[in-house]
Coordinates of all heavy atoms in Angstrom, one line a residue:
M15 N 150.2 102.4 206.2 CA 149.1 102.5 205.1 C 148.4 103.8 205.3 O 148.1 104.3 206.4 CB 148.1 101.3 205.3 CG 147.0 101.3 204.2 SD 145.8 100.0 204.5 CE 146.7 98.6 203.8
S16 N 148.2 104.5 204.2 CA 147.6 105.8 204.2 C 146.1 105.7 204.5 O 145.5 104.7 204.4 CB 147.8 106.5 202.9 OG 147.0 105.9 201.9
I17 N 145.5 106.8 205.0 CA 144.1 106.9 205.2 C 143.3 106.5 203.9 O 142.3 105.8 203.9 CB 143.7 108.2 205.8 CG1 144.1 108.3 207.2 CG2 142.2 108.4 205.7 CD1 143.8 109.6 207.9
E18 N 143.8 107.1 202.8 CA 143.1 106.8 201.5 C 143.1 105.3 201.2 O 142.1 104.8 200.8 CB 143.9 107.6 200.4 CG 143.7 109.1 200.4 CD 144.6 109.7 201.4 OE1 145.6 109.1 201.9 OE2 144.3 110.9 201.8
N19 N 144.2 104.6 201.5 CA 144.2 103.2 201.2 C 143.3 102.4 202.1 O 142.6 101.5 201.8 CB 145.6 102.6 201.4 CG 146.5 103.0 200.2 OD1 146.0 103.3 199.1 ND2 147.8 103.0 200.4
R20 N 143.2 102.9 203.4 CA 142.3 102.2 204.4 C 140.8 102.5 204.0 O 140.0 101.6 204.1 CB 142.6 102.7 205.8 CG 143.9 102.3 206.3 CD 144.1 102.8 207.7 NE 145.5 102.4 208.1 CZ 146.0 102.7 209.3 NH1 145.3 103.4 210.1 NH2 147.2 102.3 209.6
L21 N 140.5 103.7 203.5 CA 139.2 104.0 203.1 C 138.7 103.2 201.9 O 137.6 103.0 201.7 CB 139.0 105.5 202.9 CG 139.1 106.4 204.1 CD1 138.9 107.8 203.7 CD2 138.0 106.0 205.1
Y22 N 139.7 102.7 201.2 CA 139.4 101.9 200.0 C 138.7 100.6 200.3 O 137.9 100.1 199.5 CB 140.7 101.6 199.2 CG 140.4 100.9 197.9 CD1 139.9 101.7 196.8 CD2 140.8 99.6 197.7 CE1 139.6 101.0 195.6 CE2 140.5 99.0 196.5 CZ 140.0 99.7 195.4 OH 139.7 99.1 194.2
A23 N 138.9 100.2 201.6 CA 138.2 98.9 202.0 C 136.8 99.2 202.5 O 136.1 98.2 202.9 CB 139.0 98.3 203.2
V24 N 136.3 100.4 202.4 CA 135.0 100.7 202.8 C 134.1 101.1 201.6 O 134.6 101.8 200.7 CB 135.0 101.9 203.8 CG1 133.6 102.3 204.2 CG2 135.9 101.6 205.0
R25 N 132.9 100.5 201.6 CA 132.0 100.9 200.4 C 131.0 101.8 200.9 O 130.4 101.7 202.0 CB 131.4 99.6 200.0 CG 130.6 99.7 198.6 CD 130.5 98.3 198.0 NE 130.0 97.3 198.9 CZ 128.7 97.1 199.2 NH1 127.8 97.8 198.7 NH2 128.4 96.1 200.0
Y26 N 130.7 102.8 200.1 CA 129.7 103.9 200.4 C 128.6 103.9 199.4 O 128.8 103.6 198.3 CB 130.4 105.2 200.4 CG 131.5 105.5 201.4 CD1 132.8 105.2 201.1 CD2 131.3 106.1 202.6 CE1 133.9 105.4 201.9 CE2 132.3 106.3 203.5 CZ 133.6 106.0 203.2 OH 134.6 106.3 204.0
R27 N 127.5 104.3 199.9 CA 126.4 104.8 199.0 C 126.2 106.3 199.4 O 125.7 106.6 200.5 CB 125.1 104.0 199.3 CG 124.0 104.4 198.3 CD 123.0 103.3 198.1 NE 121.9 103.8 197.2 CZ 120.7 104.2 197.6 NH1 120.4 104.1 198.8 NH2 119.9 104.6 196.7
V28 N 126.6 107.2 198.5 CA 126.8 108.6 198.8 C 125.5 109.3 198.5 O 125.0 109.3 197.3 CB 128.0 109.2 198.1 CG1 128.1 110.7 198.4 CG2 129.3 108.5 198.5
D29 N 125.0 110.1 199.5 CA 123.8 111.0 199.3 C 124.4 112.2 198.6 O 125.6 112.6 198.8 CB 123.2 111.3 200.6 CG 121.8 111.9 200.5 OD1 121.4 112.1 199.4 OD2 121.1 112.0 201.5
D30 N 123.5 113.0 197.9 CA 124.0 114.3 197.4 C 123.9 115.4 198.4 O 124.2 116.5 198.1 CB 123.3 114.6 196.0 CG 121.8 114.6 196.1 OD1 121.3 114.5 197.3 OD2 121.2 114.8 195.1
K31 N 123.3 115.1 199.5 CA 123.1 116.1 200.6 C 124.0 115.7 201.8 O 123.9 114.5 202.3 CB 121.7 116.1 201.0 CG 121.3 117.2 202.0 CD 119.8 117.2 202.2 CE 119.4 118.2 203.2 NZ 119.8 117.8 204.6
S32 N 124.8 116.6 202.3 CA 125.7 116.3 203.4 C 124.9 116.1 204.7 O 123.9 116.8 205.0 CB 126.6 117.5 203.7 OG 127.4 117.2 204.8
H33 N 125.3 115.1 205.5 CA 124.7 114.8 206.8 C 125.5 115.5 207.9 O 125.2 115.4 209.1 CB 124.6 113.3 207.1 CG 125.9 112.6 207.2 ND1 126.7 112.4 206.0 CD2 126.6 112.1 208.2 CE1 127.7 111.8 206.4 NE2 127.7 111.6 207.7
L34 N 126.6 116.2 207.5 CA 127.4 117.0 208.4 C 127.4 118.4 208.1 O 127.7 118.8 206.9 CB 128.9 116.4 208.3 CG 129.1 114.9 208.5 CD1 130.4 114.5 208.1 CD2 128.8 114.5 210.0
T35 N 127.2 119.3 209.1 CA 127.1 120.7 208.8 C 127.9 121.5 209.8 O 127.8 121.3 211.0 CB 125.6 121.2 208.8 OG1 124.8 120.4 208.0 CG2 125.5 122.7 208.4
I36 N 128.7 122.4 209.3 CA 129.4 123.4 210.2 C 128.4 124.5 210.5 O 127.8 125.1 209.7 CB 130.6 124.0 209.5 CG1 131.6 123.0 209.1 CG2 131.2 125.1 210.4 CD1 132.3 122.2 210.2
R37 N 128.1 124.6 211.8 CA 127.0 125.5 212.2 C 127.4 127.0 211.9 O 126.6 127.7 211.4 CB 126.7 125.4 213.7 CG 126.1 124.1 214.1 CD 125.6 124.1 215.5 NE 124.8 122.9 215.8 CZ 125.2 121.9 216.6 NH1 126.3 122.0 217.2 NH2 124.4 120.9 216.8
D38 N 128.6 127.4 212.2 CA 129.0 128.8 212.0 C 130.5 128.8 211.6 O 131.4 128.6 212.4 CB 128.8 129.5 213.3 CG 129.1 131.0 213.1 OD1 129.6 131.4 212.0 OD2 128.8 131.8 214.0
Q39 N 130.8 129.1 210.3 CA 132.1 129.1 209.8 C 133.0 130.2 210.5 O 134.2 130.1 210.6 CB 132.2 129.3 208.3 CG 131.8 128.1 207.5 CD 132.8 127.0 207.4 OE1 134.0 127.2 207.9 NE2 132.5 125.9 206.9
A40 N 132.3 131.3 211.0 CA 133.0 132.3 211.7 C 133.7 131.8 213.0 O 134.7 132.2 213.4 CB 132.1 133.5 212.0
V41 N 133.0 130.8 213.6 CA 133.6 130.2 214.8 C 134.9 129.4 214.4 O 135.9 129.5 215.1 CB 132.6 129.2 215.5 CG1 133.2 128.4 216.6 CG2 131.4 130.0 216.0
C42 N 134.9 128.8 213.3 CA 136.1 128.0 212.8 C 137.2 129.0 212.5 O 138.4 128.6 212.7 CB 135.7 127.2 211.6 SG 134.5 125.9 211.9
Q43 N 136.9 130.2 212.0 CA 137.9 131.1 211.7 C 138.7 131.5 212.9 O 139.9 131.9 212.7 CB 137.3 132.3 211.0 CG 136.8 132.0 209.6 CD 135.9 133.1 209.0 OE1 135.6 134.1 209.6 NE2 135.4 132.8 207.8
T44 N 138.1 131.5 214.0 CA 138.9 131.9 215.2 C 139.1 130.7 216.2 O 139.6 130.9 217.3 CB 138.1 133.0 216.0 OG1 136.8 132.5 216.4 CG2 137.9 134.3 215.2
C45 N 138.9 129.5 215.7 CA 139.1 128.3 216.5 C 140.6 128.2 216.8 O 141.4 128.1 215.9 CB 138.6 127.1 215.8 SG 138.8 125.5 216.7
P46 N 140.9 128.0 218.1 CA 142.4 128.0 218.4 C 143.0 126.6 218.1 O 144.2 126.5 218.0 CB 142.4 128.2 219.9 CG 141.0 127.8 220.4 CD 140.1 128.1 219.3
T47 N 142.2 125.6 218.0 CA 142.8 124.2 217.8 C 142.6 123.6 216.4 O 143.4 122.8 216.0 CB 142.2 123.3 218.8 OG1 140.8 123.1 218.5 CG2 142.4 123.7 220.2
R48 N 141.5 123.9 215.8 CA 141.1 123.2 214.5 C 141.2 121.7 214.7 O 141.8 121.0 213.9 CB 141.9 123.7 213.3 CG 141.8 125.2 213.1 CD 141.3 125.6 211.7 NE 140.9 127.0 211.6 CZ 141.8 128.0 211.4 NH1 143.0 127.8 211.1 NH2 141.3 129.2 211.4
A49 N 140.8 121.3 215.9 CA 140.9 119.9 216.2 C 140.3 118.9 215.3 O 140.7 117.8 215.1 CB 140.3 119.7 217.6
C50 N 139.3 119.4 214.6 CA 138.6 118.5 213.6 C 139.5 118.0 212.5 O 139.3 116.9 211.9 CB 137.4 119.2 213.0 SG 137.8 120.7 212.2
E51 N 140.6 118.7 212.3 CA 141.6 118.3 211.3 C 142.4 117.0 211.7 O 143.0 116.4 210.8 CB 142.5 119.4 210.9 CG 141.8 120.5 210.2 CD 142.9 121.4 209.5 OE1 143.6 122.2 210.3 OE2 143.0 121.5 208.3
W52 N 142.4 116.7 213.0 CA 143.1 115.5 213.4 C 142.3 114.5 214.1 O 142.7 113.3 214.2 CB 144.4 115.9 214.2 CG 144.1 116.8 215.4 CD1 144.3 118.2 215.4 CD2 143.7 116.4 216.7 NE1 144.0 118.7 216.7 CE2 143.7 117.6 217.5 CE3 143.4 115.2 217.3 CZ2 143.3 117.6 218.8 CZ3 143.0 115.2 218.7 CH2 142.9 116.4 219.4
F53 N 141.1 114.8 214.7 CA 140.4 113.8 215.4 C 139.6 112.9 214.5 O 139.1 111.8 214.9 CB 139.6 114.4 216.6 CG 138.4 115.3 216.2 CD1 137.4 114.9 215.4 CD2 138.3 116.6 216.8 CE1 136.3 115.7 215.1 CE2 137.3 117.4 216.5 CZ 136.3 117.0 215.7
C54 N 139.3 113.4 213.3 CA 138.4 112.6 212.4 C 139.3 111.5 211.8 O 140.3 111.8 211.1 CB 137.8 113.4 211.3 SG 136.9 112.4 210.1
P55 N 138.9 110.2 211.9 CA 139.7 109.1 211.4 C 139.6 109.0 209.9 O 140.4 108.3 209.2 CB 139.1 107.8 212.0 CG 137.7 108.2 212.3 CD 137.7 109.7 212.7
A56 N 138.7 109.8 209.2 CA 138.6 109.7 207.8 C 139.0 111.0 207.1 O 138.7 111.2 205.9 CB 137.1 109.3 207.4
D57 N 139.6 111.9 207.8 CA 140.1 113.1 207.2 C 139.0 113.9 206.5 O 139.2 114.5 205.4 CB 141.2 112.9 206.2 CG 142.6 113.0 206.8 OD1 142.7 113.4 208.0 OD2 143.6 112.8 206.1
V58 N 137.8 113.9 207.2 CA 136.7 114.6 206.6 C 136.8 116.1 206.6 O 136.4 116.8 205.6 CB 135.4 114.2 207.3 CG1 134.2 115.1 206.9 CG2 135.0 112.8 206.9
Y59 N 137.4 116.7 207.6 CA 137.5 118.1 207.8 C 138.9 118.6 207.4 O 139.9 118.1 207.8 CB 137.2 118.5 209.2 CG 135.9 118.0 209.7 CD1 135.7 116.9 210.5 CD2 134.7 118.7 209.3 CE1 134.5 116.4 210.8 CE2 133.4 118.2 209.7 CZ 133.4 117.1 210.5 OH 132.1 116.6 210.9
A60 N 138.9 119.7 206.7 CA 140.2 120.4 206.3 C 140.0 121.9 206.2 O 139.0 122.4 205.6 CB 140.6 119.8 204.9
W61 N 140.9 122.6 206.8 CA 140.9 124.0 206.7 C 141.4 124.5 205.4 O 142.4 124.1 204.9 CB 141.7 124.6 207.8 CG 141.8 126.1 207.8 CD1 142.9 126.8 207.4 CD2 140.8 127.1 208.1 NE1 142.6 128.2 207.5 CE2 141.3 128.3 207.9 CE3 139.5 126.9 208.5 CZ2 140.6 129.5 208.1 CZ3 138.8 128.1 208.7 CH2 139.3 129.3 208.5
D62 N 140.6 125.3 204.7 CA 140.9 125.9 203.4 C 141.4 127.4 203.7 O 140.5 128.2 203.9 CB 139.8 125.9 202.4 CG 140.2 126.3 201.0 OD1 140.7 127.4 200.9 OD2 139.9 125.6 200.1
E63 N 142.7 127.6 203.6 CA 143.2 128.9 203.9 C 142.7 130.0 202.9 O 142.3 131.1 203.3 CB 144.8 128.8 203.8 CG 145.5 130.1 204.4 CD 145.2 130.2 205.9 OE1 145.4 129.2 206.6 OE2 144.9 131.3 206.3
G64 N 142.6 129.6 201.6 CA 142.1 130.5 200.6 C 140.7 131.0 200.8 O 140.4 132.2 200.7
E65 N 139.8 130.0 201.1 CA 138.4 130.4 201.4 C 138.1 130.8 202.8 O 137.0 131.3 203.1 CB 137.5 129.2 201.0 CG 137.6 128.8 199.5 CD 136.5 127.8 199.1 OE1 135.4 127.8 199.7 OE2 136.8 127.1 198.2
G66 N 139.1 130.5 203.7 CA 138.9 130.9 205.1 C 137.7 130.1 205.7 O 136.9 130.7 206.5
R67 N 137.6 128.8 205.4 CA 136.6 128.0 206.0 C 137.0 126.5 206.1 O 137.9 126.1 205.4 CB 135.3 128.2 205.3 CG 135.3 127.6 203.9 CD 134.0 128.0 203.1 NE 134.0 127.3 201.8 CZ 133.2 126.2 201.6 NH1 132.5 125.7 202.5 NH2 133.2 125.7 200.4
I68 N 136.2 125.8 206.9 CA 136.4 124.3 207.0 C 135.7 123.7 205.8 O 134.5 123.9 205.6 CB 135.9 123.8 208.3 CG1 136.9 124.2 209.5 CG2 135.8 122.3 208.3 CD1 138.2 123.5 209.6
L69 N 136.4 122.8 205.1 CA 135.7 122.0 204.0 C 135.3 120.7 204.6 O 136.0 120.2 205.5 CB 136.7 121.8 202.9 CG 137.3 123.0 202.2 CD1 138.2 122.6 201.1 CD2 136.2 124.0 201.7
V70 N 134.2 120.2 204.2 CA 133.6 118.9 204.8 C 133.5 117.9 203.7 O 132.6 118.0 202.9 CB 132.3 119.2 205.5 CG1 131.8 117.9 206.1 CG2 132.4 120.3 206.5
A71 N 134.3 116.9 203.7 CA 134.3 115.8 202.7 C 133.4 114.7 203.3 O 133.8 113.6 203.6 CB 135.6 115.3 202.4
Y72 N 132.1 115.0 203.4 CA 131.1 114.1 204.1 C 131.1 112.7 203.5 O 130.7 111.7 204.1 CB 129.7 114.7 204.2 CG 129.0 114.8 202.8 CD1 128.1 113.8 202.5 CD2 129.2 115.8 202.0 CE1 127.5 113.8 201.2 CE2 128.6 115.9 200.7 CZ 127.7 114.9 200.4 OH 127.1 114.9 199.1
E73 N 131.4 112.7 202.2 CA 131.4 111.4 201.5 C 132.2 110.3 202.1 O 132.0 109.1 202.0 CB 131.8 111.5 200.0 CG 131.1 112.6 199.2 CD 131.7 114.0 199.3 OE1 132.5 114.2 200.3 OE2 131.4 114.8 198.4
N74 N 133.3 110.7 202.8 CA 134.2 109.8 203.5 C 133.9 109.4 204.9 O 134.6 108.6 205.5 CB 135.6 110.4 203.4 CG 136.2 110.5 202.0 OD1 135.7 109.8 201.1 ND2 137.2 111.3 201.9
C75 N 132.8 110.0 205.4 CA 132.5 109.8 206.8 C 132.3 108.3 207.2 O 131.6 107.6 206.5 CB 131.2 110.6 207.2 SG 130.7 110.4 208.9
L76 N 132.9 107.9 208.3 CA 132.7 106.5 208.8 C 131.6 106.4 209.8 O 131.5 105.3 210.4 CB 134.1 106.1 209.4 CG 135.2 106.0 208.4 CD1 136.5 105.7 209.1 CD2 135.0 104.9 207.4
E77 N 130.9 107.5 210.1 CA 129.8 107.5 211.1 C 130.2 107.0 212.5 O 129.4 106.4 213.2 CB 128.7 106.6 210.5 CG 128.1 107.1 209.2 CD 127.2 106.2 208.5 OE1 126.5 105.4 209.2 OE2 127.2 106.2 207.2
C78 N 131.4 107.4 212.9 CA 131.9 107.0 214.2 C 131.3 107.9 215.3 O 131.3 107.6 216.5 CB 133.4 107.0 214.3 SG 134.1 108.7 214.2
G79 N 130.9 109.1 214.9 CA 130.3 110.1 215.9 C 131.2 110.9 216.7 O 130.8 111.7 217.5
T80 N 132.5 110.8 216.5 CA 133.5 111.5 217.2 C 133.3 113.0 217.2 O 133.4 113.7 218.2 CB 134.9 111.2 216.7 OG1 135.1 109.8 216.9 CG2 136.0 111.9 217.5
C81 N 133.0 113.5 216.0 CA 132.9 115.0 215.8 C 131.7 115.5 216.6 O 131.6 116.8 216.8 CB 132.9 115.4 214.4 SG 131.6 114.6 213.4
R82 N 130.7 114.7 217.0 CA 129.6 115.2 217.8 C 130.1 115.8 219.1 O 129.5 116.7 219.7 CB 128.6 114.1 218.1 CG 128.0 113.5 216.9 CD 127.0 112.4 217.4 NE 125.8 113.0 217.8 CZ 124.7 112.3 218.1 NH1 124.7 110.9 218.0 NH2 123.6 112.8 218.4
I83 N 131.1 115.2 219.7 CA 131.6 115.6 221.0 C 133.0 116.2 221.0 O 133.3 116.9 221.9 CB 131.6 114.3 222.0 CG1 132.4 113.2 221.4 CG2 130.2 113.9 222.2 CD1 132.6 112.1 222.4
A84 N 133.8 115.9 220.0 CA 135.2 116.4 220.0 C 135.4 117.8 219.6 O 136.5 118.4 219.9 CB 136.0 115.4 219.2
C85 N 134.4 118.4 218.9 CA 134.6 119.8 218.6 C 134.2 120.6 219.9 O 133.0 120.6 220.3 CB 133.7 120.2 217.4 SG 133.6 122.0 217.2
A86 N 135.2 121.2 220.5 CA 135.0 121.9 221.8 C 134.0 123.0 221.6 O 133.4 123.4 222.6 CB 136.3 122.4 222.3
E87 N 133.8 123.5 220.4 CA 132.9 124.6 220.2 C 131.5 124.2 219.9 O 130.6 125.0 219.7 CB 133.4 125.5 219.1 CG 134.8 126.0 219.1 CD 135.1 126.8 220.3 OE1 134.2 127.6 220.8 OE2 136.2 126.8 220.8
H88 N 131.3 122.8 219.8 CA 130.0 122.3 219.5 C 129.5 122.9 218.2 O 128.3 123.3 218.1 CB 128.9 122.4 220.6 CG 129.4 121.9 221.9 ND1 129.6 120.5 222.1 CD2 129.8 122.5 223.0 CE1 130.0 120.3 223.4 NE2 130.2 121.5 223.9
N89 N 130.4 122.9 217.2 CA 130.1 123.7 216.0 C 129.8 122.8 214.8 O 129.7 123.2 213.7 CB 131.3 124.6 215.6 CG 130.9 125.7 214.7 OD1 129.7 126.1 214.7 ND2 131.8 126.2 213.9
I90 N 129.7 121.5 215.1 CA 129.4 120.5 214.0 C 128.0 119.9 214.3 O 127.7 119.3 215.3 CB 130.4 119.4 213.9 CG1 131.8 120.0 213.6 CG2 130.0 118.4 212.9 CD1 132.9 119.0 213.7
E91 N 127.1 120.1 213.3 CA 125.8 119.5 213.3 C 125.9 118.1 212.7 O 126.3 117.9 211.6 CB 124.8 120.3 212.5 CG 123.4 119.8 212.5 CD 122.6 120.2 213.8 OE1 122.8 121.3 214.3 OE2 121.8 119.4 214.2
W92 N 125.6 117.0 213.5 CA 125.8 115.7 213.1 C 124.5 114.9 213.1 O 123.8 114.9 214.1 CB 126.8 115.0 214.1 CG 127.4 113.7 213.7 CD1 128.6 113.4 213.1 CD2 126.7 112.4 213.9 NE1 128.7 112.1 212.9 CE2 127.6 111.4 213.4 CE3 125.5 112.0 214.4 CZ2 127.3 110.1 213.4 CZ3 125.2 110.6 214.4 CH2 126.2 109.7 213.9
T93 N 124.3 114.2 212.0 CA 123.2 113.2 212.0 C 123.7 112.0 211.2 O 124.7 112.1 210.5 CB 122.0 113.8 211.2 OG1 122.3 114.0 209.8 CG2 121.4 115.1 211.8
Y94 N 123.0 110.9 211.3 CA 123.3 109.8 210.4 C 122.9 110.2 209.0 O 122.0 111.0 208.8 CB 122.5 108.6 210.8 CG 123.2 107.8 211.9 CD1 122.6 107.7 213.2 CD2 124.4 107.1 211.8 CE1 123.1 107.0 214.2 CE2 125.0 106.4 212.8 CZ 124.4 106.4 214.0 OH 124.9 105.7 215.1
P95 N 123.5 109.6 208.0 CA 123.0 109.9 206.6 C 121.6 109.4 206.5 O 121.1 108.6 207.2 CB 123.9 109.0 205.7 CG 125.2 108.8 206.6 CD 124.7 108.8 208.0
T96 N 120.9 110.0 205.5 CA 119.5 109.6 205.2 C 119.5 108.1 205.0 O 120.4 107.5 204.5 CB 119.0 110.3 204.0 OG1 119.2 111.7 204.2 CG2 117.5 110.0 203.7
G97 N 118.4 107.4 205.4 CA 118.2 106.0 205.3 C 118.6 105.4 204.0 O 118.2 105.9 202.9
G98 N 119.5 104.4 204.0 CA 119.9 103.8 202.7 C 121.3 104.3 202.2 O 121.9 103.7 201.4
Y99 N 121.6 105.5 202.8 CA 122.9 106.1 202.4 C 123.9 105.9 203.5 O 123.6 105.5 204.6 CB 122.8 107.6 202.1 CG 122.0 107.9 200.8 CD1 120.6 108.3 200.9 CD2 122.5 107.7 199.6 CE1 119.9 108.6 199.8 CE2 121.8 108.0 198.4 CZ 120.5 108.4 198.5 OH 119.7 108.7 197.4
G100 N 125.2 106.1 203.1 CA 126.3 106.1 204.1 C 127.1 104.8 203.8 O 127.3 104.4 202.7
I101 N 127.8 104.4 204.9 CA 128.8 103.3 204.7 C 128.2 101.9 204.8 O 127.2 101.7 205.4 CB 129.9 103.4 205.8 CG1 129.3 103.3 207.2 CG2 130.7 104.6 205.6 CD1 130.3 103.1 208.3
A102 N 128.8 101.0 204.0 CA 128.5 99.6 204.1 C 129.9 98.9 204.1 O 130.6 99.0 203.1 CB 127.7 99.1 202.9
Y103 N 130.3 98.3 205.2 CA 131.6 97.8 205.2 C 131.8 96.6 204.3 O 130.9 95.7 204.2 CB 132.0 97.3 206.6 CG 132.2 98.5 207.6 CD1 131.2 98.8 208.5 CD2 133.3 99.2 207.5 CE1 131.4 99.9 209.3 CE2 133.5 100.3 208.4 CZ 132.6 100.6 209.3 OH 132.7 101.7 210.1
K104 N 132.9 96.6 203.5 CA 133.1 95.6 202.6 C 133.5 94.3 203.3 O 133.1 93.2 202.9 CB 134.3 96.0 201.6 CG 134.4 95.1 200.4 CD 135.6 95.5 199.6 CE 135.4 96.7 198.7 NZ 136.5 97.0 197.9
F105 N 134.3 94.4 204.4 CA 134.7 93.2 205.1 C 134.1 93.3 206.5 O 134.5 94.0 207.3 CB 136.2 93.2 205.2 CG 136.9 93.2 203.9 CD1 137.6 94.4 203.5 CD2 136.8 92.2 203.0 CE1 138.2 94.4 202.3 CE2 137.4 92.2 201.8 CZ 138.1 93.4 201.4
G106 N 133.1 92.5 206.8 CA 132.5 92.5 208.1 C 131.0 92.9 208.1 O 130.4 93.0 207.1
Ligands
SF4_21 S1 137.2 122.0 215.8 FE1 135.1 122.8 215.6 S2 135.2 125.0 215.8 FE2 137.3 124.2 215.5 S3 137.6 124.4 213.2 FE3 136.8 122.3 213.6 S4 134.6 122.5 213.4 FE4 135.4 124.6 213.6
SF4_22 S1 131.4 110.9 212.4 FE1 133.6 110.2 212.6 S2 134.3 109.8 210.5 FE2 132.4 111.0 210.3 S3 133.1 113.1 210.2 FE3 132.7 112.7 212.4 S4 134.7 112.1 213.2 FE4 134.8 111.9 210.9

């Protein structure tokens, strides 16, 4: 099952302001691993070759907190979404 299909089982209330911020895109440009592209279970982070930066699809975030510790450069500012926004599991 694809990540897109799995995310379909999750209901979100999306804020118009991201709760995830890349602190310094210049750090991502020289990042040797771009680990955020594979450690996030919701595929939130993606390197855009044309723009030369990491794109952040914060709307899909599952609030697992992995990116707080898994970016070796500590280059991701992580908070919970503003109260009332974020995920609400459809099943559970
Ligand atoms: S792992 Fe961290 S430093 Fe590397 S590209 Fe992702 S956010 Fe940037
Ligand atoms: S908290 Fe989890 S789901 Fe959200 S962006 Fe970070 S790794 Fe991805």
Side-chain angles (χ1 to χ4, degrees):
M15 184 183 278
S16 70
I17 287 179
E18 289 76 16
N19 284 339
R20 290 179 184 180
L21 290 178
Y22 187 70
V24 179
R25 192 159 46 87
Y26 296 88
R27 185 160 178 252
V28 178
D29 197 353
D30 57 6
K31 184 173 177 293
S32 176
H33 63 289
L34 305 167
T35 308
I36 300 294
R37 292 193 170 109
D38 186 352
Q39 287 283 353
V41 172
C42 298
Q43 288 167 1
T44 58
C45 176
T47 63
R48 301 234 167 89
C50 56
E51 289 194 291
W52 52 263
F53 65 57
C54 174
D57 265 357
V58 165
Y59 302 100
W61 175 252
D62 186 307
E63 192 66 45
E65 294 192 30
R67 67 188 186 101
I68 289 285
L69 304 179
V70 183
Y72 70 94
E73 304 90 339
N74 292 339
C75 176
L76 296 170
E77 301 169 28
C78 70
T80 301
C81 54
R82 298 181 80 170
I83 55 172
C85 170
E87 310 296 331
H88 305 291
N89 200 28
I90 298 171
E91 182 81 36
W92 189 98
T93 63
Y94 279 112
T96 306
Y99 291 102
I101 56 169
Y103 288 103
K104 190 185 283 184
F105 304 110

